[in-house]
């Protein structure tokens, strides 16, 4: 046994960073934390994308075993092994000769508190089955009908996924790094403890385990093993060499999602719930529906691309049906969801798309799926996010000869914000240097190779304008770094470029920080500093590689002028309050200037689409040389209350002309109305298995009744998703509900809730609960 532990310790030091500190494998448990500082956005130590020879079609050969089953003595295919088929092991089989090794029982040592689950970082999963991460050994205990002699008796483990060829794991003296195999850890009488090692390129999913001895193969339908990606294993293509990052991007169940505008960033909590009972089966069902073969499930590139396609319902009746209509009577308002669990379980149960979602729902569900499978993932928000519909890498605005918008040509849009995902992996399919964070986008906007999916695309390619790098780099580049170009039609039908706004899109790209609820700005990963030589070079590089010609334009004639215009809006006006706006004009010339202004307020959907303006004002402002003046505008609650749509956003458009110089003035500003927060109070001490009470309180801030109010409540390890109807809430009235729940798992937890009604949504709350 001591020789075995020494050998295993050496293997761990080669394979797993957690164990390079020198512990024996028997003492291997979750590490205490990661290193400080900001890690590089590229994989440390180069790509570890393959532990063996790649075979066309995704199969991998390693030194530890041959996929499909082999005779370990001569390497020939073992045609006797069939998935789920016992060999001489049924009740009618003749009794074995004395001394033949017959298996009596197999124990997978699958307890959630046991060493297998803890060392594989799967003890949080609310499953009783064995869940392990690939490329890392786990133990099983085999009981025989006589004493086991490790020197002369032979056994092997067989793993089978679905209808694929069984994989035989023979006894080996040394584990091949990242390969299949098993070893005898300890033998005592009729019991033998085996170390089982899976390939670091194994297809993730559910396997049936069986054990073969000289008397035949022992099968039991209960011997199920879930194998996941392993961010702790250096041989795995999702390896992440930072413990604090792994804790955040694989194991954290609660996230923060950012929304609003770049000037008024809001945040909300989200229950990813990747460890909740039933979620993993729902995720594997999604992969089945996506047509992923067992051979393809070992490659995170394939898996993440299919996830981006399957989370939306376009093409394939995937998980979430999108709607931006404002009418959600036959489903759930997208802003009312507080987590992914209910969505994933509903989809698995019905097989029908869950209604409804918008970008943050698609992104949050994608994060849940990634983390459940073991791929490090995070939710990203990009403020002022361009949607380039014509693929020319710019956001284009077209006007006629009189500077009236040409609506039939203005198909591009800028969303107030847009959410997608980053996931972490090596990219052996690309030149060196593109491993690390990859962007994927599950919101169905444009097709990729005929399917509504997007990515994975290296952030480094987006940053440098290398839109020839797969997958879908042109679309992602345009979202964060396209120029806003204004074109005017001339008399001969051609267009002239009248203005270029270089800093129009891609601001405050945000994600939840590692180890805290703070917002981390990761714009630097997606683009060089605005206006820098590197950033301009990226735009030129993207244009060079782009496959779409620029519009037929004549020479640039950009407006210049000496009067500047800016807009100031109140930050976070509360629902029910009036909005005060200031327009600032500055005369930079040495002469008197007179500006005629038109101001229009329109309600705006968060995807950049505006309704018709509901308030318009005009004025004339005289400015002495060097003078600065402000023009005030007030929008009362009674003016906007019947106009609002989801997200409670509006856009102010100011346009005008300077009388003396003919200078044209134009500026747009988006802003949003702040909705109230929920108050959540937990009474008493939270203990696993003991009921506890939480009070959730909402106060209506309006002078009008809110109709059909309801609460959505959930929390990982605390409360399964639940909807509580409360009916109408009168003007300025307070409503509260009392929720009783029984914590299922210890440690720091969060209870998340939202409130929605016909007249008001986007009301959220969260509270921390420490469970003993």
């Amino acid at each position: 046994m001591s020789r075995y532990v020494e050998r295993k310790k050496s293997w761990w030091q080669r394979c797993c960073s957690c164990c390079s500190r020198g512990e024996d494998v028997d003492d291997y448990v979750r590490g205490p934390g990661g290193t400080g500082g900001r890690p590089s956005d590229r994989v440390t130590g180069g790509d570890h994308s393959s532990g063996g020879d790649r075979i066309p079609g995704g199969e991998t050969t390693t030194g530890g075993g041959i996929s499909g089953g082999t005779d370990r003595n001569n390497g020939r295919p073992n045609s006797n092994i069939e998935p789920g088929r016992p060999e001489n092991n049924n009740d009618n089989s003749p009794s074995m000769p004395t001394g033949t090794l017959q298996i009596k029982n197999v124990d997978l040592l699958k307890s959630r508190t046991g060493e297998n689950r803890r060392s594989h970082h799967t003890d949080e999963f609310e499953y009783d089955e064995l869940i392990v991460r690939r490329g890392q050994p786990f133990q099983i205990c085999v009981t025989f009908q006589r004493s086991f002699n490790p020197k002369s008796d032979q056994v092997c483990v067989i793993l089978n996924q679905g209808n694929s060829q069984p994989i035989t794991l023979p006894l080996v003296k040394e584990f091949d790094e990242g390969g299949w195999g098993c070893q005898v850890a300890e033998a005592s009488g009729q019991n033998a403890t085996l170390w089982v090692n899976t390939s670091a390129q194994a297809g993730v999913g559910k396997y049936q385990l069986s054990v073969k001895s000289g008397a035949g193969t022992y099968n039991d339908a209960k011997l199920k093993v879930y194998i996941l990606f392993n961010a702790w294993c250096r041989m795995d293509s999702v390896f992440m060499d930072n413990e604090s990052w792994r804790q955040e991007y694989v194991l954290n169940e609660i996230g923060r999602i950012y929304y609003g505008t770049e000037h008024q960033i809001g945040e909300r909590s989200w229950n990813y719930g990747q460890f909740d009972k039933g979620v993993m089966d729902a995720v594997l069902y999604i992969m089945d529906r996506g047509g992923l073969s067992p051979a393809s499930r070992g490659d995170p590139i394939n898996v993440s691309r299919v996830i981006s396609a399957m989370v939306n319902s376009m093409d394939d009746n995937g998980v979430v049906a999108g709607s931006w209509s404002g009418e959600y009577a036959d489903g759930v308002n997208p802003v009312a969801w507080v987590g992914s669990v209910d969505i994933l379980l509903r989809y698995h149960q019905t097989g029908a798309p869950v209604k409804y979602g918008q970008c943050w729902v698609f992104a949050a569900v994608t994060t849940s799926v990634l983390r459940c499978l073991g791929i490090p993932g995070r939710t990203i928000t990009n403020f002022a996010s361009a949607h380039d519909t014509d693929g020319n890498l710019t956001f284009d605005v077209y006007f006629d000869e009189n500077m009236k918008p040409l609506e039939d040509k203005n198909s591009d849009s800028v969303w107030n914000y847009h959410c997608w995902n980053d996931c972490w992996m090596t990219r052996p399919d690309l030149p060196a240097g593109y491993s690390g964070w990859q962007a994927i986008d599950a919101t169905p906007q444009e097709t990729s190779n005929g399917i509504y999916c997007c990515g994975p695309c290296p952030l480094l390619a987006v940053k440098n304008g290398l839109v020839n790098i797969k997958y879908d780099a042109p679309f992602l580049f345009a979202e964060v770094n396209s120029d806003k170009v204004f074109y005017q039609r001339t008399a001969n039908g051609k267009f002239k470029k009248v203005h270029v706004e270089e800093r129009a899109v891609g601001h405050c790209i945000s994600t939840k920080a590692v180890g805290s609820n703070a917002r981390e700005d990761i714009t630097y990963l997606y683009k060089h500093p605005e206006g820098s030589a590197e950033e301009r070079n990226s735009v030129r590089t993207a244009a060079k590689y782009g496959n779409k010609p620029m519009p037929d334009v004549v020479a640039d004639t950009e407006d210049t002028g000496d009067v500047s215009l800016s807009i100031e809006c109140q930050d976070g006006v509360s629902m029910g309050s009036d909005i005060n706006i200031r327009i600032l004009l500055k005369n930079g010339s040495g002469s008197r200037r007179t500006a005629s202004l038109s101001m229009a307020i329109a309600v705006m959907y968060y995807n950049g689409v505006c309704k018709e303006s509901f308030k318009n004002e005009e004025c004339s402002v005289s400015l002495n040389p060097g003078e600065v003046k402000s023009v005030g505008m007030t929008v009362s609650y009674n003016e906007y209350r019947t106009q609002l749509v989801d997200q409670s956003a509006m856009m102010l458009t100011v346009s005008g002309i300077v009388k003396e110089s003919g200078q044209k003035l134009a500026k747009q500003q988006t802003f949003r109305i702040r909705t109230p927060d929920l108050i959540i109070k937990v009474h008493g001490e939270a203990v696993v298995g003991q009921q506890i009470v939480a009070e959730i309180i909402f106060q209506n801030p309006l002078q009008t009744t809110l109709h059909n109010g309801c609460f959505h409540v959930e929390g990982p390890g605390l409360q399964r998703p639940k909807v509580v109807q409360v009916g109408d809430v009168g003007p300025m009235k307070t409503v509260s509900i009392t929720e009783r729940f029984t914590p299922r798992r210890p440690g720091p937890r969060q209870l998340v809730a939202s409130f929605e009604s016909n007249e008001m949504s986007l009301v959220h709350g969260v509270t921390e609960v420490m469970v003993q």
Side-chain angles (χ1 to χ4, degrees), residues 431-449:
Y434 290 107
S435 295
W437 287 119
Q438 317 286 317
I440 63 174
D441 191 346
T443 300
Q445 297 180 85
E446 300 293 327
T447 59
S448 172
N449 294 329

PDB file of all heavy atoms in Angstrom, residues 431-449:
ATOM      1  N   PRO A 431      -4.328  28.826 -33.992  1.00  0.00           N
ATOM      2  CA  PRO A 431      -2.903  29.076 -33.717  1.00  0.00           C
ATOM      3  C   PRO A 431      -2.667  29.341 -32.236  1.00  0.00           C
ATOM      4  O   PRO A 431      -3.593  29.663 -31.486  1.00  0.00           O
ATOM      5  CB  PRO A 431      -2.610  30.324 -34.560  1.00  0.00           C
ATOM      6  CG  PRO A 431      -3.648  30.330 -35.637  1.00  0.00           C
ATOM      7  CD  PRO A 431      -4.877  29.735 -35.012  1.00  0.00           C
ATOM      8  N   ALA A 432      -1.428  29.220 -31.796  1.00  0.00           N
ATOM      9  CA  ALA A 432      -1.085  29.410 -30.381  1.00  0.00           C
ATOM     10  C   ALA A 432      -1.491  30.803 -29.916  1.00  0.00           C
ATOM     11  O   ALA A 432      -1.436  31.773 -30.669  1.00  0.00           O
ATOM     12  CB  ALA A 432       0.410  29.190 -30.179  1.00  0.00           C
ATOM     13  N   GLY A 433      -1.894  30.890 -28.656  1.00  0.00           N
ATOM     14  CA  GLY A 433      -2.189  32.176 -28.053  1.00  0.00           C
ATOM     15  C   GLY A 433      -3.659  32.485 -27.881  1.00  0.00           C
ATOM     16  O   GLY A 433      -4.010  33.503 -27.285  1.00  0.00           O
ATOM     17  N   TYR A 434      -4.559  31.637 -28.385  1.00  0.00           N
ATOM     18  CA  TYR A 434      -5.979  31.940 -28.324  1.00  0.00           C
ATOM     19  C   TYR A 434      -6.727  31.125 -27.272  1.00  0.00           C
ATOM     20  O   TYR A 434      -7.958  31.108 -27.248  1.00  0.00           O
ATOM     21  CB  TYR A 434      -6.631  31.732 -29.689  1.00  0.00           C
ATOM     22  CG  TYR A 434      -6.196  32.784 -30.687  1.00  0.00           C
ATOM     23  CD1 TYR A 434      -5.311  32.470 -31.716  1.00  0.00           C
ATOM     24  CD2 TYR A 434      -6.644  34.091 -30.577  1.00  0.00           C
ATOM     25  CE1 TYR A 434      -4.891  33.434 -32.614  1.00  0.00           C
ATOM     26  CE2 TYR A 434      -6.238  35.068 -31.464  1.00  0.00           C
ATOM     27  CZ  TYR A 434      -5.359  34.733 -32.486  1.00  0.00           C
ATOM     28  OH  TYR A 434      -4.943  35.693 -33.366  1.00  0.00           O
ATOM     29  N   SER A 435      -6.002  30.444 -26.395  1.00  0.00           N
ATOM     30  CA  SER A 435      -6.659  29.746 -25.293  1.00  0.00           C
ATOM     31  C   SER A 435      -7.058  30.747 -24.212  1.00  0.00           C
ATOM     32  O   SER A 435      -6.604  31.885 -24.191  1.00  0.00           O
ATOM     33  CB  SER A 435      -5.723  28.684 -24.720  1.00  0.00           C
ATOM     34  OG  SER A 435      -5.460  27.684 -25.682  1.00  0.00           O
ATOM     35  N   GLY A 436      -7.904  30.313 -23.301  1.00  0.00           N
ATOM     36  CA  GLY A 436      -8.382  31.197 -22.230  1.00  0.00           C
ATOM     37  C   GLY A 436      -9.850  31.503 -22.413  1.00  0.00           C
ATOM     38  O   GLY A 436     -10.648  30.638 -22.781  1.00  0.00           O
ATOM     39  N   TRP A 437     -10.237  32.749 -22.146  1.00  0.00           N
ATOM     40  CA  TRP A 437     -11.651  33.129 -22.214  1.00  0.00           C
ATOM     41  C   TRP A 437     -12.140  33.162 -23.658  1.00  0.00           C
ATOM     42  O   TRP A 437     -11.497  33.737 -24.536  1.00  0.00           O
ATOM     43  CB  TRP A 437     -11.882  34.486 -21.564  1.00  0.00           C
ATOM     44  CG  TRP A 437     -11.801  34.492 -20.072  1.00  0.00           C
ATOM     45  CD1 TRP A 437     -10.921  35.201 -19.296  1.00  0.00           C
ATOM     46  CD2 TRP A 437     -12.645  33.773 -19.160  1.00  0.00           C
ATOM     47  NE1 TRP A 437     -11.163  34.951 -17.970  1.00  0.00           N
ATOM     48  CE2 TRP A 437     -12.205  34.081 -17.842  1.00  0.00           C
ATOM     49  CE3 TRP A 437     -13.707  32.893 -19.318  1.00  0.00           C
ATOM     50  CZ2 TRP A 437     -12.806  33.543 -16.714  1.00  0.00           C
ATOM     51  CZ3 TRP A 437     -14.303  32.344 -18.179  1.00  0.00           C
ATOM     52  CH2 TRP A 437     -13.853  32.676 -16.899  1.00  0.00           C
ATOM     53  N   GLN A 438     -13.315  32.544 -23.867  1.00  0.00           N
ATOM     54  CA  GLN A 438     -13.982  32.510 -25.163  1.00  0.00           C
ATOM     55  C   GLN A 438     -15.399  33.050 -24.986  1.00  0.00           C
ATOM     56  O   GLN A 438     -16.078  32.724 -24.021  1.00  0.00           O
ATOM     57  CB  GLN A 438     -14.065  31.075 -25.699  1.00  0.00           C
ATOM     58  CG  GLN A 438     -12.818  30.239 -25.528  1.00  0.00           C
ATOM     59  CD  GLN A 438     -11.702  30.611 -26.480  1.00  0.00           C
ATOM     60  OE1 GLN A 438     -11.964  30.840 -27.666  1.00  0.00           O
ATOM     61  NE2 GLN A 438     -10.469  30.685 -25.989  1.00  0.00           N
ATOM     62  N   ALA A 439     -15.854  33.876 -25.920  1.00  0.00           N
ATOM     63  CA  ALA A 439     -17.204  34.430 -25.852  1.00  0.00           C
ATOM     64  C   ALA A 439     -18.184  33.525 -26.592  1.00  0.00           C
ATOM     65  O   ALA A 439     -17.897  33.052 -27.693  1.00  0.00           O
ATOM     66  CB  ALA A 439     -17.235  35.829 -26.456  1.00  0.00           C
ATOM     67  N   ILE A 440     -19.331  33.260 -25.962  1.00  0.00           N
ATOM     68  CA  ILE A 440     -20.456  32.602 -26.633  1.00  0.00           C
ATOM     69  C   ILE A 440     -21.714  33.406 -26.327  1.00  0.00           C
ATOM     70  O   ILE A 440     -21.806  34.061 -25.292  1.00  0.00           O
ATOM     71  CB  ILE A 440     -20.636  31.128 -26.213  1.00  0.00           C
ATOM     72  CG1 ILE A 440     -20.962  31.007 -24.722  1.00  0.00           C
ATOM     73  CG2 ILE A 440     -19.409  30.302 -26.570  1.00  0.00           C
ATOM     74  CD1 ILE A 440     -21.299  29.580 -24.289  1.00  0.00           C
ATOM     75  N   ASP A 441     -22.676  33.373 -27.245  1.00  0.00           N
ATOM     76  CA  ASP A 441     -23.886  34.183 -27.085  1.00  0.00           C
ATOM     77  C   ASP A 441     -25.089  33.336 -27.472  1.00  0.00           C
ATOM     78  O   ASP A 441     -25.218  32.907 -28.618  1.00  0.00           O
ATOM     79  CB  ASP A 441     -23.800  35.426 -27.980  1.00  0.00           C
ATOM     80  CG  ASP A 441     -24.894  36.442 -27.681  1.00  0.00           C
ATOM     81  OD1 ASP A 441     -25.864  36.093 -26.983  1.00  0.00           O
ATOM     82  OD2 ASP A 441     -24.784  37.592 -28.150  1.00  0.00           O
ATOM     83  N   ALA A 442     -25.968  33.076 -26.506  1.00  0.00           N
ATOM     84  CA  ALA A 442     -27.135  32.222 -26.744  1.00  0.00           C
ATOM     85  C   ALA A 442     -28.369  33.007 -27.156  1.00  0.00           C
ATOM     86  O   ALA A 442     -29.384  32.407 -27.509  1.00  0.00           O
ATOM     87  CB  ALA A 442     -27.449  31.397 -25.488  1.00  0.00           C
ATOM     88  N   THR A 443     -28.323  34.342 -27.117  1.00  0.00           N
ATOM     89  CA  THR A 443     -29.476  35.125 -27.562  1.00  0.00           C
ATOM     90  C   THR A 443     -29.586  35.030 -29.077  1.00  0.00           C
ATOM     91  O   THR A 443     -28.614  35.305 -29.781  1.00  0.00           O
ATOM     92  CB  THR A 443     -29.326  36.599 -27.149  1.00  0.00           C
ATOM     93  OG1 THR A 443     -29.239  36.684 -25.723  1.00  0.00           O
ATOM     94  CG2 THR A 443     -30.522  37.417 -27.608  1.00  0.00           C
ATOM     95  N   PRO A 444     -30.748  34.638 -29.596  1.00  0.00           N
ATOM     96  CA  PRO A 444     -30.864  34.450 -31.052  1.00  0.00           C
ATOM     97  C   PRO A 444     -30.971  35.782 -31.791  1.00  0.00           C
ATOM     98  O   PRO A 444     -32.041  36.387 -31.841  1.00  0.00           O
ATOM     99  CB  PRO A 444     -32.147  33.622 -31.190  1.00  0.00           C
ATOM    100  CG  PRO A 444     -32.973  34.005 -30.006  1.00  0.00           C
ATOM    101  CD  PRO A 444     -32.001  34.296 -28.887  1.00  0.00           C
ATOM    102  N   GLN A 445     -29.844  36.244 -32.338  1.00  0.00           N
ATOM    103  CA  GLN A 445     -29.837  37.495 -33.097  1.00  0.00           C
ATOM    104  C   GLN A 445     -29.550  37.254 -34.578  1.00  0.00           C
ATOM    105  O   GLN A 445     -30.304  37.649 -35.439  1.00  0.00           O
ATOM    106  CB  GLN A 445     -28.793  38.457 -32.522  1.00  0.00           C
ATOM    107  CG  GLN A 445     -29.076  38.888 -31.095  1.00  0.00           C
ATOM    108  CD  GLN A 445     -28.015  39.840 -30.584  1.00  0.00           C
ATOM    109  OE1 GLN A 445     -28.078  41.041 -30.798  1.00  0.00           O
ATOM    110  NE2 GLN A 445     -27.010  39.296 -29.918  1.00  0.00           N
ATOM    111  N   GLU A 446     -28.432  36.599 -34.856  1.00  0.00           N
ATOM    112  CA  GLU A 446     -28.050  36.287 -36.229  1.00  0.00           C
ATOM    113  C   GLU A 446     -27.653  34.812 -36.290  1.00  0.00           C
ATOM    114  O   GLU A 446     -27.218  34.235 -35.284  1.00  0.00           O
ATOM    115  CB  GLU A 446     -26.878  37.169 -36.688  1.00  0.00           C
ATOM    116  CG  GLU A 446     -27.171  38.658 -36.662  1.00  0.00           C
ATOM    117  CD  GLU A 446     -28.208  39.084 -37.685  1.00  0.00           C
ATOM    118  OE1 GLU A 446     -28.250  38.465 -38.776  1.00  0.00           O
ATOM    119  OE2 GLU A 446     -28.996  40.008 -37.387  1.00  0.00           O
ATOM    120  N   THR A 447     -27.769  34.209 -37.475  1.00  0.00           N
ATOM    121  CA  THR A 447     -27.387  32.804 -37.615  1.00  0.00           C
ATOM    122  C   THR A 447     -25.888  32.671 -37.856  1.00  0.00           C
ATOM    123  O   THR A 447     -25.228  33.587 -38.351  1.00  0.00           O
ATOM    124  CB  THR A 447     -28.144  32.140 -38.781  1.00  0.00           C
ATOM    125  OG1 THR A 447     -27.852  32.844 -39.998  1.00  0.00           O
ATOM    126  CG2 THR A 447     -29.633  32.142 -38.533  1.00  0.00           C
ATOM    127  N   SER A 448     -25.372  31.520 -37.476  1.00  0.00           N
ATOM    128  CA  SER A 448     -23.981  31.152 -37.737  1.00  0.00           C
ATOM    129  C   SER A 448     -24.014  29.793 -38.427  1.00  0.00           C
ATOM    130  O   SER A 448     -24.487  28.810 -37.850  1.00  0.00           O
ATOM    131  CB  SER A 448     -23.203  31.070 -36.419  1.00  0.00           C
ATOM    132  OG  SER A 448     -21.913  30.541 -36.623  1.00  0.00           O
ATOM    133  N   ASN A 449     -23.538  29.772 -39.668  1.00  0.00           N
ATOM    134  CA  ASN A 449     -23.649  28.547 -40.479  1.00  0.00           C
ATOM    135  C   ASN A 449     -25.085  28.039 -40.521  1.00  0.00           C
ATOM    136  O   ASN A 449     -25.349  26.838 -40.460  1.00  0.00           O
ATOM    137  CB  ASN A 449     -22.720  27.453 -39.944  1.00  0.00           C
ATOM    138  CG  ASN A 449     -21.258  27.818 -40.083  1.00  0.00           C
ATOM    139  OD1 ASN A 449     -20.877  28.527 -41.012  1.00  0.00           O
ATOM    140  ND2 ASN A 449     -20.440  27.350 -39.155  1.00  0.00           N
TER     141      ASN A 449
END
